């Protein structure tokens, strides 16, 4: 019976799964931020088990596993035909137990074996760096329980230290998503009013809209959100909410494009059903399914020691490349991007002339000089700004924002020749 259910659901979409009792129990523990395993986010692309991203500071991260790696074997067994639930069951295990992964990566002649010792994976979703002078950097690795309260706590402590926050970088790169309520709460931290996200199923009249709540808003400073092709689901909701409400500037690369809603139902025997029930829409009414969030500024991921690959065409796989994915509103119709849905729920096809909101400014840098100290002497701030080109440029934009605002308030009048 379980096999029949799995086969039936496999034909729907990549995110609909049947979870047997033991897997459902593990699924429940994941969102608490602690579980036994190696610490990777996985998906199925072109029928191949693929790593979306290793979770920072986990056994997989320390073993050198990278985003985009193809898992072709687990303990010598081929993963061909594995569902996400089956793969997750084999990857998880007790602390101290070793697992052998056969990984294929671009540049490998053949799959390479990685032996990883499982550990207790404790996910700390909020990583904070004080950039001095009132500026702050926060990386959200995933949206789990307490992500929003933890974020609010560190930002309020930062504001208390400097009396004010001058600028904030929210890094959502390689964030695979997580709990919807935490994404909403994170967005609400920075919004005084307006729509955060809306969801719509087959019945267009049953559209659910979530609005920002007044009170407790962290305002009065510029925000830059960093995204990339591995930013998915809940992270796309946050980026879209802050972008459409003009609360933040989004930089980086177009996001993954997982704009579908899953509802998890616990069944009588302890098993569970994760079923796709609708789509997410940004405040402006755009569906991100199979398309993603388009950054305001497209920024190449360059560092001072990565020059030759600057123009290399990357083999990027997003939601639209997954077998059986929900078709995006404008997929295959035109290149203008996702269509908007008006208040009545009707689709309004985008014109080929992309509006200013959808225009992307592309910036490419071919060299970046650094006078930073040797790595062993670098602070966490200096090391990040030296090694992370996109974060460095986001930091520069924040500092430039105040210069521009000062010029608006106190324009420099050129002297008149007599």
């Amino acid at each position: 019976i379980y096999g029949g259910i799995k086969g039936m659901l496999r034909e729907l979409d990549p995110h609909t799964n049947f979870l047997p009792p033991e897997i459902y129990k593990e699924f429940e523990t994941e969102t608490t931020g602690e579980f036994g395993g190696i610490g990777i986010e996985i998906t199925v692309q072109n029928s191949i088990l693929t790593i979306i991203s290793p979770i920072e500071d986990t056994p997989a991260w320390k073993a050198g596993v990278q985003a985009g790696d193809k898992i072709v074997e687990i303990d010598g067994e081929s993963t061909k035909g594995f569902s996400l639930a089956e793969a997750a069951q084999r990857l998880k295990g007790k602390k101290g137990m070793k697992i052998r992964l056969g990984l294929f990566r671009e540049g490998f002649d053949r799959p390479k074996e990685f032996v990883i010792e499982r550990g207790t994976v404790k996910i700390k979703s909020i990583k904070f760096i004080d950039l001095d002078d009132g500026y702050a950097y926060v990386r959200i690795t995933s949206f789990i329980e307490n992500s929003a309260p933890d974020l609010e706590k560190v930002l309020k402590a930062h504001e208390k230290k400097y009396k004010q926050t001058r600028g904030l970088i929210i890094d959502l790169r390689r964030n695979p998503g997580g709990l919807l309520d935490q994404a909403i709460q994170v967005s609400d931290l920075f919004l005084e009013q307006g729509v955060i996200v809306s969801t719509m199923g087959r019945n267009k009249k049953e559209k659910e809209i979530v609005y920002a709540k007044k009170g407790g808003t962290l305002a009065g400073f510029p925000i830059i959100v960093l995204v990339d092709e591995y930013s998915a689901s809940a992270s796309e909701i946050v980026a879209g909410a802050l972008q459409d409400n003009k609360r933040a500037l989004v930089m980086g690369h177009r996001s993954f494009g997982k704009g579908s809603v899953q509802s998890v139902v616990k069944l009588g025997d302890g098993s569970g059903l994760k079923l796709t029930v609708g789509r997410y829409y940004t405040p402006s009414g755009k569906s991100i399914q199979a398309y993603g969030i388009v950054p305001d500024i497209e920024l190449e991921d360059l560092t001072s020691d990565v020059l030759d690959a600057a123009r290399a065409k990357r083999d990027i796989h997003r939601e639209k490349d997954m077998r059986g994915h929900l078709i995006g509103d404008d997929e295959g119709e035109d290149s203008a991007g996702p269509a908007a849905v008006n208040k009545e729920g009707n689709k309004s096809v985008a014109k080929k002339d992309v509006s200013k909101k959808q225009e992307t400014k592309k910036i490419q840098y071919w060299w970046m000089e650094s006078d930073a100290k040797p790595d062993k002497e670098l602070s966490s701030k200096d090391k990040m700004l030296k090694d992370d080109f996109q974060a460095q440029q986001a930091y520069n934009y924040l500092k430039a924002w105040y210069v521009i605002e000062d010029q608006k308030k106190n324009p420099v009048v050129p002297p008149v020749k007599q």
Side-chain angles (χ1 to χ4, degrees):
I1 292 175
Y2 280 2
I5 294 173
K6 290 178 184 178
M8 178 176 63
L9 297 180
R10 191 174 293 167
E11 294 302 309
L12 295 180
D13 71 279
H15 306 294
T16 293
N17 290 305
F18 173 72
L19 311 174
E22 63 278 7
I23 296 180
Y24 180 74
K25 187 176 180 180
E26 293 176 356
F27 173 80
E28 288 185 305
T29 63
E30 282 185 10
T31 56
T32 64
E34 182 174 329
F35 59 93
I38 62 174
I40 56 174
E41 298 285 347
I42 57 175
T43 186
V44 175
Q45 292 181 346
N46 299 322
S47 301
I48 302 173
L49 196 62
T50 305
I51 296 173
I52 297 176
S53 179
I55 301 170
E56 289 188 29
D57 301 324
T58 61
W61 174 275
K62 295 173 182 176
V65 174
Q66 297 182 12
D69 285 352
K70 314 293 184 185
I71 305 176
V72 295
E73 287 185 351
I74 299 178
D75 287 330
E77 181 182 0
S78 171
T79 59
K80 185 176 182 180
F82 274 22
S83 67
L84 287 176
E86 291 169 333
Q89 185 179 23
R90 286 169 169 77
L91 291 169
K92 292 177 182 176
K94 294 181 180 180
K95 180 181 179 180
M97 295 179 62
K98 292 184 178 180
I99 184 172
R100 293 182 295 113
L101 298 183
L103 302 181
F104 185 81
R105 182 182 303 166
E106 187 175 352
F108 285 3
D109 294 330
R110 60 179 62 86
K112 181 180 178 180
E113 184 177 272
F114 285 69
V115 180
I116 306 172
E117 184 175 309
R118 294 182 179 93
T120 300
V121 180
K122 295 182 179 181
I123 305 173
K124 185 179 179 182
S125 66
I126 304 298
K127 302 200 172 185
F128 174 83
I129 295 179
D130 187 342
L131 299 178
D132 299 327
D133 300 324
Y135 295 99
Y137 165 94
V138 172
R139 173 166 168 73
I140 306 177
T141 60
S142 60
F143 291 90
I144 59 175
E145 288 182 7
N146 299 320
S147 288
D150 288 348
L151 175 61
E152 184 177 15
K153 183 178 178 181
V154 297
L155 291 181
K156 285 190 173 180
H158 179 78
E159 186 175 11
K160 183 178 180 181
K161 177 180 177 181
Y162 291 100
K163 308 303 180 186
Q164 67 166 336
T165 299
R166 288 175 60 83
L168 174 65
I169 300 171
I170 301 177
D171 191 349
L172 298 177
R173 292 172 299 175
R174 299 187 182 278
N175 182 322
L179 299 177
L180 172 62
D181 69 315
Q182 292 300 303
I184 291 172
Q185 289 179 41
V186 166
S187 302
D188 199 11
L189 276 177
F190 307 104
L191 297 174
E192 295 179 338
Q193 60 182 0
V195 175
I196 293 177
V197 67
S198 58
T199 60
M200 190 188 303
R202 289 183 176 179
N203 188 345
K204 306 301 182 185
K205 295 180 180 179
E206 295 180 358
K207 184 177 181 180
E208 297 182 10
I209 304 176
V210 180
Y211 294 92
K213 299 175 183 177
K214 292 183 178 180
T217 303
L218 302 176
F221 56 87
I223 299 174
I224 290 181
V225 177
L226 292 174
V227 297
D228 65 8
E229 57 272 13
Y230 301 109
S231 303
S233 194
S235 57
E236 293 177 290
I237 290 174
V238 173
L242 299 185
Q243 182 186 52
D244 282 1
N245 283 288
K246 302 188 184 305
R247 182 64 184 92
L249 188 72
V250 178
M251 296 176 65
H253 290 278
R254 181 162 58 88
S255 61
F256 185 76
K258 181 186 177 296
S260 58
V261 188
Q262 280 73 44
S263 178
V264 181
V265 182
K266 185 174 182 178
L267 304 178
D269 64 345
S271 61
L273 173 65
K274 187 170 74 167
L275 183 68
T276 299
V277 296
R279 299 176 187 239
Y280 293 122
Y281 293 86
T282 66
S284 63
K286 292 180 294 188
S287 169
I288 58 175
Q289 173 60 22
Y291 194 78
I293 296 295
V294 179
D296 299 297
I297 298 176
E298 185 177 339
L299 188 63
E300 294 295 340
D301 186 11
L302 306 181
T303 59
S304 58
D305 58 347
V306 183
L307 301 176
D308 294 337
R311 283 186 173 176
K313 184 178 180 181
R314 294 183 296 173
D315 185 18
I316 304 301
H317 294 281
R318 292 183 170 87
E319 173 82 7
K320 66 181 180 61
D321 301 308
M322 298 178 69
R323 178 182 175 272
H325 72 275
L326 297 181
I327 302 300
D329 283 353
D330 286 338
E331 197 170 353
E333 293 180 13
D334 63 66
S335 59
V341 175
N342 60 28
K343 293 180 180 179
E344 289 71 36
N346 299 317
K347 187 173 75 170
S348 175
V349 179
K351 297 179 180 179
K352 288 192 176 182
D353 291 328
V354 184
S355 67
K356 289 184 178 180
K357 288 184 179 179
Q358 294 174 310
E359 286 179 351
T360 298
K361 181 180 179 182
K362 187 171 184 179
I363 298 180
Q364 291 181 325
Y365 297 86
W366 294 103
W367 182 254
M368 179 183 67
E369 295 289 350
S370 174
D371 55 359
K373 302 173 184 177
D375 284 356
K376 63 181 180 180
E377 299 178 14
L378 294 177
S379 66
S380 57
K381 168 198 168 184
D382 293 333
K383 191 174 189 309
M384 181 194 72
L385 295 179
K386 173 181 179 293
D387 296 339
D388 191 333
F389 180 75
Q390 291 181 326
Q392 184 197 71
Q393 295 306 309
Y395 183 45
N396 290 338
Y397 264 78
L398 286 179
K399 292 190 293 184
W401 184 86
Y402 279 97
V403 174
I404 295 171
E405 290 299 308
D406 287 341
Q407 289 178 348
K408 288 180 181 178
K409 295 176 182 177
N410 303 297
V412 178
V413 179
V416 179
K417 294 182 179 180
Q418 298 294 336

